[in-house]
DNA sequence: CTGTTAGCGCTTTCAC
DNA sequence: GTGAAAGCGCTAACAG
């Protein structure tokens, strides 16, 4: 039942100060939580603020302080569960710190990524987490530039060779090597690799493959190298037809798997580098009336809940998406505090979820050494 | 090779104006794209801006104009593919309009949702898209309030009874009724419903169920009603044991399905209201060594790519997530333009992806009418 | 501890 | 058309 004319627009600090009978600065200090104010003054200000329903205008605050309490996160595809898992971890960590998150999807397009970073910089976010489409430092000038200008950026999921920034990734090469070895130990020698580098020129030699691989995303390139490492460890020669070179789509993976499986000397195991690729592989296997692990063994990156419900359940590599997201924002936050230390590389372990899609090879290929392994 | 001392901090409109030899206002006009400027002046300003590398400070702009070119979207769980699909559609539509999106996850917690909306309002987003955890208007004061204060909000996926706002949803009741009828037409009379209302008090009568259902999220409540509608249409009495009352988790769904399937008069079909529930159901089926659709038929909401690769492939209801997301931002945008028209309700159709998880019932329950249906 | 006084960079009257 | 000048709401530097 008051008398003071309620301001038509939202109350400002001046309104509160006036209502409390103190100067603007005092009101600002108590409301902004800085400087020091006497207990009495604080009480009166708080009461007045409460009464007026005061909410600070954070745009104005951000303009003068330069901090927006928001983080940008740019990923390839929000709709992909790997990335949405990352985002989930990141945004949980962010809200725990009272930061909010602006999400942008680039669909692996570098131009879109540059634009996204520009938007974020314009918005004056306090930091950026990005899973970049850049395959090398020259592509990533926008990231280097942002850092230089004072907005910390941390890479997530993918490193960019030549770019020294904080990063949170999984050791893709080691993980790929490990599963491939698992396959080899089960007796496999012909292992199909789904989602090798995309290229239209045929790849015949290992050298060519390695060269082309250089132009792939770090994570993809690393997985291929890990696969190749394991092959080499076991003295198995590289077989051109077993590494895919098509587009990275489910359909393309299905076609490639189909072709491999129908070839004269088909693979006895398939390693899929991504959930989508695995689904493609499964389609191929099913279309051919094959079963796993009887006819072909199967493994894939990026574990999901449906893997447990497949018959038989799928053995998968589980990346710690939630932890990666959290760690990335923690890293970016600590970088905001103290910008000048060496970039930190966080390599998190992945976990091989052993289930039942790996078995012994269905047949013994040319080489005589084959069936020696286990039995 | 210049001479003008490069400003230590980013160039402002004043810098550009000075460099161009015009007044601030003229520079502001051409750079801000409002008012009118002579061709010559515009050229000089543009050139100067280019030369200085001017980027407008959108925080300052937002502060004076009140528009931030950003939208808030609050969902229950970013990690859930249904919501990440929504977000994907929404953020695509947003970037097409040069808006960016701030995403917040609430995990179905109303307090978190209120907080999220508060944050968004503080950020002065131009509009909010929310899939609310409110089950009735009293819970949704924060949404009504936001609208009243001039920030349009559009509901997505879920209506809030009693709250008249723009909304984009699927007719959950009709869709649930439709699949249930499909099941009935296949001969089923005992159909388990996974993810009925969560409650610890037992539910014995239909009335009790209906009452409790009132306290569920709109979408969940509607799906149950649709199920009940179809039962009633077919003259099948409500069977208490066939509607779940546990928590909404995969494990709980699995337990409930297990219990149903092991009961004396088990269901011959299971209708799962969510992907997680379906996975739970599949676990139960498999643990019991049952197969589908031979022993039990299965259907679920929220189609995904892995449904096609299950053996047999799963029949699912596909919600148009992408379109829902897009439409929601379109709606919120048009509401920003002209705030005063009747709230619009967009009910999008879902699609039943018929595959192979529905078959005839495995056995004939008590009633004599059963096997009459098809054969 | 507190009030006064300047800005932050932009938009927006308002005269010229 | 164009420039000068007045804010937007806040923080910050400076006296007292």
């Amino acid at each position: 039942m008051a008398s003071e004319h309620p301001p038509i627009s939202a109350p400002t600090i001046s309104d509160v100060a006036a209502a409390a009978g103190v100067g603007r600065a005092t009101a600002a200090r108590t409301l902004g939580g800085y400087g020091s104010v006497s207990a009495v003054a604080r009480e009166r200000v708080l009461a007045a603020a409460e009464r007026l329903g005061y909410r600070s205008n954070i745009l104005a605050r951000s303009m003068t302080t330069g901090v927006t309490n928001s983080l940008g996160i740019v990923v390839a595809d929000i709709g992909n569960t790997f990335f949405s898992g990352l985002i989930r971890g990141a945004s949980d960590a962010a809200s725990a710190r009272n930061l909010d998150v602006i999400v942008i999807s680039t669909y692996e397009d570098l131009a879109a990524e540059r634009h996204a970073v520009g938007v974020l910089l314009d918005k004056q976010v306090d930091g950026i987490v990005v899973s970049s489409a850049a395959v090398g430092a020259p592509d990533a000038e926008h990231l280097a530039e942002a850092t230089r200008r004072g907005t910390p950026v941390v890479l997530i999921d993918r490193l960019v060779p030549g770019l020294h920034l904080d990063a949170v990734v999984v050791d893709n090469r080691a993980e790929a090597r490990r599963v491939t070895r698992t396959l080899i130990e089960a007796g496999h020698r012909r292992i199909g690799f789904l989602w090798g580098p995309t290229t239209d020129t045929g790849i015949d030699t290992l050298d060519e493959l390695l060269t082309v691989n250089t132009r792939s995303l770090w994570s993809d390139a690393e997985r291929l190298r890990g696969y190749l490492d394991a092959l080499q460890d076991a003295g198995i020669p590289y077989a051109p037809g077993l590494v895919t070179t098509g587009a990275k789509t489910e359909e393309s993976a299905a076609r490639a798997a189909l072709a491999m499986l129908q070839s004269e000397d088909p693979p006895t195991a398939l390693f899929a580098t991504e959930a989508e690729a695995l689904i493609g592989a499964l389609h191929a296997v099913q279309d051919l009336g094959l079963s796993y692990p009887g006819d072909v063994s199967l493994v894939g990156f990026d574990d999901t809940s449906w893997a447990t419900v497949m018959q038989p359940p799928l053995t998968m590599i589980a990346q710690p998406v939630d932890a990666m997201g959290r760690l990335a924002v923690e890293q970016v936050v600590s970088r905001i505090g103290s910008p000048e230390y060496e970039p930190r590389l966080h390599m998190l372990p992945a976990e091989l979820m052993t289930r039942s899609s790996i078995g012994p090879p269905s047949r013994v290929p040319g080489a005589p050494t084959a069936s020696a392994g286990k039995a």
Side-chain angles (χ1 to χ4, degrees), chain A residues 1 30 36 48 51 57 90 95 110 148 167 169-170 176 186 195 202 244 256 258 279 310 314 357 366 371:
Chain A
M1 331 273 111
T30 96
S36 42
R51 181 154 33 93
N57 179 329
S95 26
L110 206 48
R148 240 178 274 131
V169 297
V170 152
W195 283 13
T244 274
L258 208 55
I279 291 184
M310 288 292 293
L314 267 11
S357 59
S371 61

Side-chain angles (χ1 to χ4, degrees), chain A residues 250-280:
Chain A
E250 184 186 309
E251 293 69 31
S252 161
R255 269 195 305 275
L258 208 55
M260 283 184 194
L261 259 12
Q262 289 179 135
S263 70
E264 295 188 350
D265 194 8
T268 58
L270 255 22
F271 173 20
T273 262
E274 267 232 358
E276 253 182 286
L278 219 211
I279 291 184

Side-chain angles (χ1 to χ4, degrees), chain A residues 179-200:
Chain A
V179 274
T180 308
R181 188 177 56 229
T182 301
L183 253 11
I184 292 171
E185 284 170 358
H188 298 275
R189 293 184 61 84
R190 291 191 60 80
I191 301 170
F193 184 88
L194 295 182
W195 283 13
T198 300
T199 170
D200 3 281

Side-chain angles (χ1 to χ4, degrees), chain A residues 356-373:
Chain A
S356 319
S357 59
I358 297 184
S362 51
R363 41 169 217 104
V364 181
T369 55
S371 61

Side-chain angles (χ1 to χ4, degrees), chain A residues 6-83:
Chain A
I8 203 80
S9 54
T12 75
I13 266 199
S14 299
D15 297 323
V16 176
V22 301
R24 306 178 200 299
T26 303
R29 277 189 271 259
T30 96
L31 262 11
Y34 59 93
S36 42
V37 205
S38 68
V40 264
R42 132 169 281 102
E43 281 316 310
R44 299 179 55 183
V45 170
L46 257 21
E50 173 73 55
R51 181 154 33 93
L52 265 41
Y54 171 80
R55 312 213 71 182
S56 75
N57 179 329
I58 68 177
L59 245 41
R61 189 206 305 271
S62 292
M63 186 173 83
T64 90
T65 61
V67 350
T68 55
N69 281 305
S70 56
L71 259 29
I73 167 160
V74 2
V75 297
D77 184 3
I78 313 185
N80 180 131
T81 56
F82 172 74
F83 293 114

